[in-house]
């Protein structure tokens, strides 16, 4: 984005009257704003770099302090700006793409966060993939790109794994803690838990199970947001309320873990998967331990083992169907929604009542409360092909988006 382009875009945005815009004008203006913000954030990276140089020679205060005081940033924003600058010192092409308006700042932050999640010795290997990551940024949403970056970091870590996962899990278990306090202004009670992935998976599964059980028992006319249900589910799970009990009658929550056979037997490989239904990576050793005292429920997408298509015999998706859907869908099927699978309803694409749609896998898709309302009451259209390519249409009939709904596991860039 040249200086002339930036000035032209800036003038166009200032001259625009939002109240008179149609959909296409809004899209064009938002794109201009995004490119301008990218250009400004690239300038800030250069200023952060120079501030650090001045601080090292005693000519200025630390960069974070200068950014906070002059830029009106809090400590989190200042640290994010510093992480961007450190990334761009190692990847000038990322900074160039930002300055040219080719990518938004959120994509830079996703690359930086994934790179910084790796040991310092592995970061150069991650950044060696940045050309393909930049290409992916041009076609993926921010959420999908962030997941792609995390997946690449996980694959690199797996390629260098040496059975040290238990050491990492042990460290995380030692650092786990629960803090409680009362906000003296609002009177709200805060309970904050920092947990290792294994125990967090158990707690999350118990809360989600309880929340979904509560939702299934609500009167037809009563609706609650997922946030409200999570609170009730948390209380039910913690207090041992019967709503949190599993189908087997025990008070221990079942955890659905997705792992391929080769990873289970031989360890994580480049395109393996070892994670909870919420997409949280678990050490293979922890999954093996869970398998020792768990009922192993195979998730079979195609093949023998479980009957996944039940026609119109039941309106509600079976446990097996939810498990199969969870193996493909980590989130709501809307392309720009990051609501986790367990918070979603299982929607009949051909409606159960209106279209006499069957409760078959090809007719089921996870949709959050918000987008479920869009489809049922908001006039939006949602269709899907047998290979799970979905098309969303606006109430006026125009196509909003077409693409795969499967977002569970993708090969790294």
């Amino acid at each position: 984005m040249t200086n002339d382009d930036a000035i032209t875009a800036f003038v166009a945005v200032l001259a625009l009257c939002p109240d008179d815009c149609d959909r296409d004008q809004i899209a064009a203006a938002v794109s201009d704003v995004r490119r301008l913000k990218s250009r400004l954030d690239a300038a800030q990276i250069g200023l952060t770099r120079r501030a650090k140089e001045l601080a090292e020679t005693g000519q200025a205060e630390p960069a974070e302090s200068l950014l906070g005081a002059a830029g009106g940033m809090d400590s989190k924003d200042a640290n994010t700006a510093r992480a961007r600058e450190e990334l761009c010192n190692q990847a000038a092409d990322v900074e160039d793409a930002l300055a040219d308006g080719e990518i938004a700042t959120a994509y830079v932050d996703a690359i930086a966060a994934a790179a910084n999640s790796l040991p310092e010795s592995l970061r150069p290997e991650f950044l060696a993939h940045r050309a393909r990551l930049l290409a992916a940024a041009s076609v993926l949403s921010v959420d999908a790109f962030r997941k792609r970056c995390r997946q690449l970091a996980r694959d690199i870590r797996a390629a260098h794994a040496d059975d040290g996962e238990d050491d990492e899990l042990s460290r995380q278990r030692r650092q786990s803690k629960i803090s409680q306090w009362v906000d003296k202004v609002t009177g709200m009670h805060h309970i904050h838990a920092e947990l290792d992935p294994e125990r967090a998976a158990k707690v999350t599964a118990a809360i989600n199970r309880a929340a979904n059980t509560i939702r299934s028992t609500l009167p037809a006319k009563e609706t609650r947001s997922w946030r409200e249900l999570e609170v009730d589910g948390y209380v039910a799970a913690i207090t041992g309320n019967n709503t949190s009990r599993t189908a087997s009658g025990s008070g221990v929550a079942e955890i659905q873990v997705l792992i391929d056979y080769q990873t289970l037997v031989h360890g994580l490989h480049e395109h393996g998967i070892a994670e909870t239904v919420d997409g949280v990576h678990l050490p293979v050793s922890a999954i093996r331990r869970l398998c020792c005292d768990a009922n192993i429920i195979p998730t079979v997408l195609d093949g023998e083992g479980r009957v996944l298509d039940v026609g119109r015999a039941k309106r509600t998706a079976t446990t097996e169907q939810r498990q199969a859907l969870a193996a493909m869908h980590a989130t709501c099927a809307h392309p720009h929604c990051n609501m986790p699978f367990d918070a979603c309803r299982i929607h009949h694409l051909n409606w159960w009542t209106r279209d006499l749609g069957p409760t078959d896998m090809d007719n089921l898709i996870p949709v959050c409360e918000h987008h479920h309302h869009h489809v049922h009451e908001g006039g939006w259209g949602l269709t899907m092909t047998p290979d799970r390519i979905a098309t969303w249409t606006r109430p006026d009939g125009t196509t909003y988006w077409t693409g795969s709904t499967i977002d569970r596991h993708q090969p790294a860039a």
Side-chain angles (χ1 to χ4, degrees):
M1 191 178 194
T2 65
N3 288 337
D4 288 343
D5 290 337
I7 293 171
T8 299
F10 182 70
V11 171
V13 170
L14 288 183
L16 202 64
C17 179
D19 292 341
D20 297 329
C21 288
D22 60 22
R23 184 264 170 204
D24 291 341
Q25 288 173 317
I26 292 173
V30 169
S31 178
D32 282 341
V33 170
R34 192 269 299 167
R35 294 172 67 208
L36 286 169
K37 289 176 65 178
S38 296
R39 183 65 183 271
L40 291 172
D41 284 334
Q44 187 178 68
I45 289 172
L47 293 170
T48 302
R49 183 178 295 121
R50 179 56 179 161
K52 290 174 67 175
E53 294 171 354
L54 292 173
E56 289 172 358
T57 59
Q59 300 177 68
E61 63 267 44
E64 289 85 350
S65 299
L66 181 55
L67 292 172
M73 296 183 185
D74 59 20
S75 58
K76 180 180 179 181
D77 288 339
N79 287 331
T80 300
R82 177 179 52 78
R84 287 178 200 148
E85 184 268 336
E86 290 175 353
L87 168 68
C88 291
N89 283 344
Q90 305 169 66
D93 47 351
V94 174
E95 185 173 355
D96 291 341
L98 183 68
D100 291 341
E102 296 173 4
I103 60 174
T105 311
Y107 292 91
V108 179
D109 293 343
I111 296 173
N116 290 336
S117 72
L118 291 167
E120 192 169 349
S121 60
L122 297 183
R123 291 173 193 169
E125 183 175 346
F126 177 90
L127 292 177
H129 293 266
R130 62 185 181 274
R132 280 187 288 173
L133 287 175
L134 288 173
S138 65
V139 296
L140 295 178
S141 68
V142 173
D143 286 333
F145 182 76
R146 190 177 291 119
K147 184 175 181 179
R148 178 71 62 89
C149 290
R150 288 198 299 260
Q151 183 66 48
L152 173 59
R154 204 211 72 177
D155 289 345
I156 291 173
R157 190 183 293 109
H160 295 272
D162 59 358
D163 296 332
E165 286 187 308
D166 263 346
D167 292 338
E168 174 68 8
L169 185 62
S170 296
R171 180 189 65 78
Q172 292 172 326
R173 290 179 71 89
R174 289 194 300 271
Q175 291 182 338
S176 297
K177 62 182 180 181
I178 294 178
S179 305
Q180 301 185 51
W181 70 94
V182 179
D183 188 310
K184 294 181 179 179
V185 176
T186 65
M188 297 295 287
H189 289 241
H190 295 254
I191 302 175
H192 177 77
E194 292 184 63
L195 302 174
D196 59 272
E198 183 177 344
R199 288 188 289 194
K202 294 178 180 179
V203 171
T204 300
I207 293 172
N208 288 342
R209 183 176 297 277
N212 277 309
T213 300
I214 293 169
R215 179 163 61 183
S216 69
T217 61
L218 291 176
K221 293 184 178 181
E222 182 178 350
T223 59
R224 294 190 204 175
S225 68
W226 179 250
R227 184 165 64 177
E228 292 175 301
L229 289 167
E230 274 189 311
V231 173
D232 290 337
Y234 171 83
V235 174
I238 295 298
T239 59
N241 187 292
N242 286 335
T243 57
S244 66
R245 301 184 74 80
T246 67
S248 63
S250 70
V252 179
E254 295 172 352
I255 304 173
Q256 185 177 353
V257 175
L258 305 173
I259 186 168
D260 62 282
Y261 180 75
Q262 291 300 322
T263 294
L264 182 63
V265 175
H266 302 296
L268 197 61
H269 54 94
E270 184 178 359
H271 298 301
I273 183 171
E275 61 186 39
T276 68
V277 71
D278 294 323
V280 177
H281 172 68
L282 281 178
V284 177
S285 55
I287 295 177
R288 288 171 181 155
R289 276 198 305 274
L290 292 171
C291 288
C292 292
D293 56 3
N295 292 322
I296 301 176
I297 305 172
T299 299
V300 182
L301 302 182
D302 296 295
E304 303 174 0
R306 296 266 180 186
V307 178
L308 299 179
D309 293 337
V310 297
R312 285 185 57 82
K314 290 185 66 177
R315 175 172 183 168
T316 305
T318 66
T319 299
E320 291 82 5
Q321 286 174 320
R322 287 191 67 94
Q323 290 163 349
L325 288 166
M328 296 184 287
H329 305 282
T331 62
C332 169
H334 190 277
H336 301 120
C337 182
N338 210 29
M339 184 65 74
F341 176 86
D342 274 338
C344 295
R345 290 185 180 274
I346 305 304
H347 170 66
H348 288 68
L349 291 149
N350 292 313
W351 295 8
W352 170 272
T353 51
R354 184 192 67 186
D355 307 318
L356 302 181
T359 307
D360 294 348
M361 285 295 292
D362 287 348
N363 195 43
L364 301 177
I365 195 169
V367 184
C368 72
E369 292 282 357
H370 177 69
H371 291 110
H372 197 243
H373 176 78
H374 271 27
V375 173
H376 276 274
E377 288 86 30
W380 282 72
L382 173 58
T383 59
M384 186 178 72
T385 61
D387 55 353
R388 308 197 78 78
I389 301 297
T391 297
W392 290 78
T393 53
R394 302 183 184 90
D396 64 5
T398 59
T399 298
Y400 172 70
W401 182 86
T402 297
S404 176
T405 63
I406 298 175
D407 63 352
R408 168 56 63 185
H409 186 62
Q410 300 172 335

